[in-house]
Amino acid sequence: MKCLVTGGNVKVLGKAVHSLSRIGDELYLEPLEDGLSLRTVNSSRSAYACFLFAPLFFQQYQAATSGQEALRCKILMKSFLAVFRSLATVEKTVEKCCISLNGRSSCLVVQLHCKYGVRKTHNLSFQDCESLQAVFDPALCPHVLRAPARVLGEAVLPFPPALAEVTLGIGCGRRVILRSYQEEEADSTVKAMVTEMSIGEEDFQQLQAQEGVAITFCLKEFRGLLSFAESANLSLSVHFDAPGRPAIFAVKDSLLDGHFVLATLSESDLHSPALCSPELHRLAPPLQAHSTPHLDDFASDDIDSYMIAMETTADSEGSRAVPSIPLSPGLRPPCSPGPFSEDHEAEPSTEPGTPPPKKFRSLFFGSILAPVHSPPGPSPVLAEDSEGEG
Amino acid sequence: MKFRAKIVDAACLNHFTRVSTMIAKLAKTCTLRISPEKLNFVLSDRVASGGVSMWCELEQENFFSEFQMEGISAENNAIYLDLTAENLSRALKTAQNARALKIKLTNKHFPCLTVSIELLSVSSSSRVVTHDIPVKVIPRKLWKDLQEPTIPDSDVSIYLPVLKTMKSIVEKMKNISNHLIMEANLSGELNLKIETELVCITTHFKDLGNPPPASEDASQERPPEQMAEVHVDIRKLLQFLAGQQVNPTRAVCRQLKGSHTFHRGAGRLSARPPWSGAQDGPGAHLTGTENYLVSNKIVHFDLLHEDVSLQYFIPALS
């Protein structure tokens, strides 16, 4: 195999490798007829990422020497990333990048031709491997949304970089909602801040999903593709299905396409309240400039019932009983049991060396990792605070 | 108990964000006191255990275009909330390009301060960011520990030099020793000194000026050249200085003669610093608790950032 990348495409390749490094520790490189494929998967098999660079992306592309079978190899991500470590330097100094692999040598050779005649050669040892294939088809997903990467980049800006998971869904008024997702802590005295971003339908190039659908996935992994899409100024599309089914994030242009397939939390694991609630209804119309507040408006903000309960239990130091919140009529339960819920609770995890579980299900080979904690019973209807003013 | 406020002016929003960022640098969790005229960030009752205390005050009408609150009752028209300062700071930082910002006290399975931000957007639709900051409502019986401090007499009070300069010096000194000696006199001289076995380093600030004395007698007693000295933990001083991103409009440092009554009851040691609102009569001292009267110095920083006042108390090392 021999590929030659020149000019600005070297940085694009480097950026793709950076994105892939957010997912997995091993890079699967496979030269195909229709281009060079770089793939990776994470250790818990809950995230898969793949970039395919078309032959036209390269100044020269030779998948296999005639008569020989195309070689596949698996390299340590760390090693390949080291070649493109500093993208700023790559952009400034590298003129050409040549990746070659021949059957005799045991090394993948990456050679950077830089300015002033400097040539850097990296010999990366590899392992032969099977082709890494994930089974997914964006066309099978009923829900799609697509927006310029910039819009999605702005959408995730309010969320802290450390936030692990986020819920994406369609709220009332066809607004796209992103909300931080926190797993319920055993120590419920320390609560985390919840952040929510709401974007109008008009900012999306395509929005094919009903109100109320939502998926929860790993934000950190998504950021990997998002940063690539932002730097390449591409649109990013999200194809998703019911909670628990993997979500497919895709970017595409004439020379390359990228897919990130991420597992989503299944319904029985979800704790967050419904996205479509009376509160969100009021976000849809543009907020009015100066409405005279009515006394009634405060009634719904009143937390006196909480205060009263506190004073009666205030004698015992430390523990404060939180009273059960009265259910507000008219709100429907946030989730109905999904196809994966009760049946698989008791199934013990038989896979050796299963990493500490997130509750994500494996995407591959039909296996389903059982969650360690049996999911709690149907979460109580959470009475949203209703805002008084329009 | 209700609270609702709105900011529409960009400058007010930036100022409020800067205040919250400063508070987040000074305290991990603190109390937010909401009253009809003011907002206060309070860190209190820690001086006894060697911790710092803080009282930050701002007039609500300098920031909010709308401000409505109702305390627990008409006689006790205030709301006291415990929150993680960084949450508020982070929430406000996302309001960089906001058209309007609203803060409300809400109850979403637990009490929250909900910050709702309407962002400017190129497209016709608005974008809204909402943050629900969990808060803990403080019951009225604990309010007395969270009142405005009364400042006792000081040995010396002096205007501070540019805080950034002070910070860079203290930062370097921290590498050598944790024990810092602050000396000041009524001639506008301030020394920061560290002493170890091998080395003694002093930085001298001159011509700083002294604020006018509180009472006539105090100024006459003391010779202007005489230094008053106090020993503090350098890390506490550094944390305070690091919190000041912008140089304040006015900065005064006082060395206070603190007097603390330590009450030991039920195995819990607590101190009631001079600023307790409730003045317990002698009766309280006889209810089976042991009392120790300890005279210890406190360093008091009195800053004014435009229209926001900050008082910060660092106890002296014994």
Side-chain angles (χ1 to χ4, degrees):
Chain A
M1 179 222 9
K2 186 162 180 232
C3 332
L4 191 63
V5 189
T6 57
N9 283 353
V10 180
K11 186 181 174 202
V12 175
L13 178 66
K15 205 79 180 67
V17 179
H18 275 263
S19 292
L20 293 169
S21 69
R22 303 288 283 265
I23 303 283
D25 297 325
E26 287 174 332
L27 182 67
Y28 292 72
L29 204 126
E30 187 172 348
L32 302 166
E33 279 287 325
D34 38 339
L36 181 67
S37 133
L38 299 177
R39 301 178 193 157
T40 187
V41 69
N42 74 354
S43 52
S44 57
R45 308 294 220 189
S46 63
Y48 162 90
C50 143
F51 280 96
L52 181 69
F53 296 94
L56 283 176
F57 179 82
F58 304 92
Q59 190 178 65
Q60 203 185 88
Y61 182 73
Q62 187 183 33
T65 50
S66 52
Q68 275 195 332
E69 221 187 78
L71 296 161
R72 286 186 291 260
C73 64
K74 180 167 78 165
I75 324 163
L76 270 185
M77 184 70 76
K78 213 167 56 169
S79 315
F80 204 75
L81 185 63
V83 180
F84 303 96
R85 168 70 62 199
S86 163
L87 288 172
T89 317
V90 165
E91 190 179 20
K92 269 194 296 208
T93 61
V94 179
E95 290 163 353
K96 281 197 280 205
C97 169
C98 179
I99 307 175
S100 58
L101 182 61
N102 64 52
R104 283 178 306 252
S105 81
S106 57
C107 281
L108 176 79
V109 182
V110 182
Q111 203 171 56
L112 299 177
H113 299 242
C114 309
K115 280 208 285 220
Y116 316 119
V118 174
R119 206 181 292 190
K120 299 182 193 172
T121 309
H122 298 256
N123 297 311
L124 309 171
S125 58
F126 67 87
Q127 282 179 291
D128 286 325
C129 61
E130 289 302 310
S131 179
L132 181 71
Q133 298 274 24
V135 180
F136 66 94
D137 185 359
L140 293 178
C141 296
H143 313 301
V144 190
L145 56 84
R146 191 160 57 93
R150 179 191 48 83
V151 170
L152 293 171
E154 285 163 4
V156 300
L157 209 50
F159 298 95
L163 181 66
E165 277 131 27
V166 75
T167 304
L168 166 71
I170 316 294
C172 296
R174 306 268 300 154
R175 291 188 69 86
V176 177
I177 312 278
L178 272 169
R179 184 189 291 164
S180 60
Y181 176 82
Q182 312 285 350
E183 290 206 1
E184 230 166 55
E185 301 281 327
D187 168 21
S188 54
T189 51
V190 180
K191 305 243 184 271
M193 181 164 91
V194 174
T195 299
E196 183 181 289
M197 170 64 128
S198 154
I199 311 176
E201 187 185 1
E202 303 77 33
D203 286 343
F204 287 82
Q205 293 157 330
Q206 186 185 6
L207 185 59
Q208 186 183 307
Q210 304 95 329
E211 293 180 6
V213 300
I215 47 165
T216 302
F217 54 87
C218 180
L219 178 61
K220 284 188 186 165
E221 289 164 352
F222 169 64
R223 283 188 201 265
L225 182 62
L226 182 58
S227 71
F228 176 83
E230 279 181 297
S231 69
N233 216 7
L234 297 171
S235 286
L236 204 152
S237 55
V238 186
H239 306 256
F240 59 104
D241 199 336
R245 304 281 311 143
I248 304 164
F249 301 82
V251 293
K252 191 179 169 63
D253 82 2
S254 53
L255 297 180
L256 61 85
D257 62 57
H259 290 92
F260 272 43
V261 187
L262 305 180
T264 63
L265 286 189
S266 68
E267 281 199 20
S268 54
D269 299 323
L270 282 172
H271 302 296
S272 46
L275 285 178
C276 195
S277 67
E279 176 182 301
L280 286 162
H281 236 307
R282 290 181 195 84
L283 290 176
L287 298 171
Q288 281 156 30
H290 208 93
S291 49
T292 343
H294 307 290
L295 283 171
D296 298 333
D297 293 342
F298 273 127
S300 42
D301 295 350
D302 185 6
I303 64 169
D304 280 345
S305 58
Y306 179 84
M307 272 305 296
I308 293 163
M310 250 181 41
E311 274 171 8
T312 52
T313 59
D315 299 323
S316 55
E317 260 171 350
S319 62
R320 280 187 199 154
V322 178
S324 59
I325 293 128
L327 301 184
S328 169
L331 278 179
R332 55 178 176 77
C335 50
S336 39
F340 291 116
S341 52
E342 282 80 31
D343 304 336
H344 304 286
E345 270 172 46
E347 196 183 303
S349 170
T350 50
E351 298 202 11
T354 313
K358 296 161 79 170
K359 297 170 194 168
F360 291 111
R361 316 232 176 228
S362 166
L363 298 173
F364 307 110
F365 325 122
S367 71
I368 294 176
L369 299 173
V372 166
H373 319 290
S374 53
S379 35
V381 174
L382 304 164
E384 292 282 356
D385 175 67
S386 39
E387 290 184 22
E389 56 157 342
Chain B
M1 241 191 338
K2 293 138 191 174
F3 171 58
R4 197 163 77 179
K6 183 168 167 182
I7 303 180
V8 292
D9 178 72
C12 293
L13 183 54
N14 286 336
H15 193 18
F16 193 60
T17 306
R18 279 197 302 271
V19 173
S20 76
T21 307
M22 174 179 76
I23 300 294
K25 288 194 157 83
L26 296 177
K28 187 155 177 281
T29 55
C30 71
T31 304
L32 172 63
R33 175 181 178 266
I34 305 171
S35 57
E37 319 279 295
K38 301 189 190 136
L39 280 186
N40 294 90
F41 293 96
V42 187
L43 192 62
S44 174
D45 213 16
R46 312 272 174 99
V47 173
S49 47
V52 301
S53 294
M54 166 180 83
W55 177 269
C56 176
E57 181 165 296
L58 51 94
E59 305 272 325
Q60 59 87 349
E61 62 179 23
N62 291 343
F63 292 86
F64 299 94
S65 57
E66 279 172 41
F67 191 91
Q68 290 139 32
M69 63 93 38
E70 255 177 56
I72 291 185
S73 62
E75 309 84 55
N76 298 292
N77 196 20
I79 302 174
Y80 287 69
L81 303 170
D82 254 357
L83 51 73
T84 300
E86 208 215 317
N87 282 344
L88 181 62
S89 162
R90 238 186 327 114
L92 292 174
K93 279 190 193 150
T94 64
Q96 292 285 2
N97 297 314
R99 194 176 283 153
L101 180 140
K102 290 186 208 165
I103 308 182
K104 285 184 353 189
L105 186 59
T106 58
N107 192 356
K108 304 189 171 179
H109 6 302
F110 44 83
C112 284
L113 214 55
T114 296
V115 177
S116 165
I117 303 161
E118 194 193 333
L119 295 171
L120 296 169
S121 166
V122 273
S123 68
S124 55
S125 71
S126 63
R127 287 198 200 158
V128 182
V129 182
T130 313
H131 300 274
D132 292 318
I133 302 170
V135 297
K136 219 159 57 167
V137 180
I138 299 180
R140 195 162 54 76
K141 69 172 194 190
L142 296 177
W143 288 11
K144 60 186 188 313
D145 298 326
L146 296 162
Q147 299 308 306
E148 177 159 12
T150 53
I151 313 300
D153 290 334
S154 60
D155 289 337
V156 172
S157 60
I158 189 168
Y159 289 118
L160 287 172
V162 173
L163 292 189
K164 206 159 109 173
T165 310
M166 219 175 136
K167 174 182 162 235
S168 60
I169 288 167
V170 173
E171 231 170 16
K172 305 284 187 318
M173 286 178 160
K174 183 173 88 99
N175 296 330
I176 300 179
S177 167
N178 277 342
H179 193 118
L180 176 80
I181 304 167
M182 289 179 75
E183 290 178 340
N185 66 18
L186 291 171
S187 301
E189 293 177 336
L190 171 72
N191 297 339
L192 300 176
K193 190 155 68 168
I194 49 173
E195 290 172 341
T196 68
E197 287 167 356
L198 296 176
V199 69
C200 168
I201 304 176
T202 311
T203 304
H204 302 265
F205 294 94
K206 291 181 162 31
D207 298 325
L208 292 173
N210 302 84
S215 63
E216 282 299 311
D217 312 321
S219 65
Q220 258 132 41
E221 270 172 24
R222 193 187 181 87
E225 308 293 316
Q226 185 186 41
M227 287 283 182
E229 113 180 353
V230 67
H231 299 229
V232 293
D233 183 335
I234 210 174
R235 290 163 296 194
K236 295 199 169 79
L237 178 62
L238 195 54
Q239 186 182 14
F240 166 69
L241 293 171
Q244 314 309 315
Q245 299 289 68
V246 184
N247 206 47
T249 317
R250 195 191 75 145
V252 174
C253 174
R254 292 187 183 91
Q255 291 182 18
L256 306 177
K257 294 186 263 267
S259 73
H260 297 240
T261 313
F262 286 75
H263 294 267
R264 194 190 293 272
R268 208 167 56 105
L269 183 68
S270 70
R272 189 153 316 137
W275 56 76
S276 292
Q279 296 301 318
D280 284 303
H285 296 272
L286 303 175
T287 51
T289 56
E290 299 162 41
N291 303 297
Y292 306 87
L293 197 69
V294 174
S295 206
N296 205 356
K297 280 196 171 178
I298 307 174
V299 182
H300 171 229
F301 293 94
D302 187 354
L303 305 188
L304 191 63
H305 281 280
E306 293 174 52
D307 45 10
V308 177
S309 81
L310 173 71
Q311 296 187 62
Y312 200 79
F313 300 82
I314 301 180
L317 294 171
S318 42

